[in-house]
Amino acid sequence: MPRRLKAAAIAKAGEHGMTLTDYLAGLIAADMPDETTHDIPGIQEVLPQSA
C-alpha cells in the first residue's frame, strides 16, 4: 500500500475512533453482510477504540 494511502486510511480510521485493521474489517463486513464475514472474529468487534 502506498504510504500516502496508508496515512490517509489511518487518519480516516482515527476519525471513527478505530484502528486501521478494525476500520477495514468494518468496511468489508458492511460490503459483505451475508457472506463469509459473519464467522471471522473482529480484533475489537469493530468497536470504537474508546469502547
Side-chain angles (χ1 to χ4, degrees), residues 6-20:
K6 184 175 181 179
I10 289 170
K12 185 55 82 170
E15 289 176 18
H16 294 280
M18 302 173 120
T19 65
L20 178 58

Side-chain angles (χ1 to χ4, degrees), residues 3-43:
R3 290 181 182 160
R4 289 178 60 194
L5 176 57
K6 184 175 181 179
I10 289 170
K12 185 55 82 170
E15 289 176 18
H16 294 280
M18 302 173 120
T19 65
L20 178 58
T21 299
D22 287 338
Y23 180 65
L24 293 174
L27 292 173
I28 293 166
D31 194 40
M32 301 171 27
D34 297 325
E35 296 182 33
T36 60
T37 58
H38 70 277
D39 62 347
I40 301 172
I43 300 298

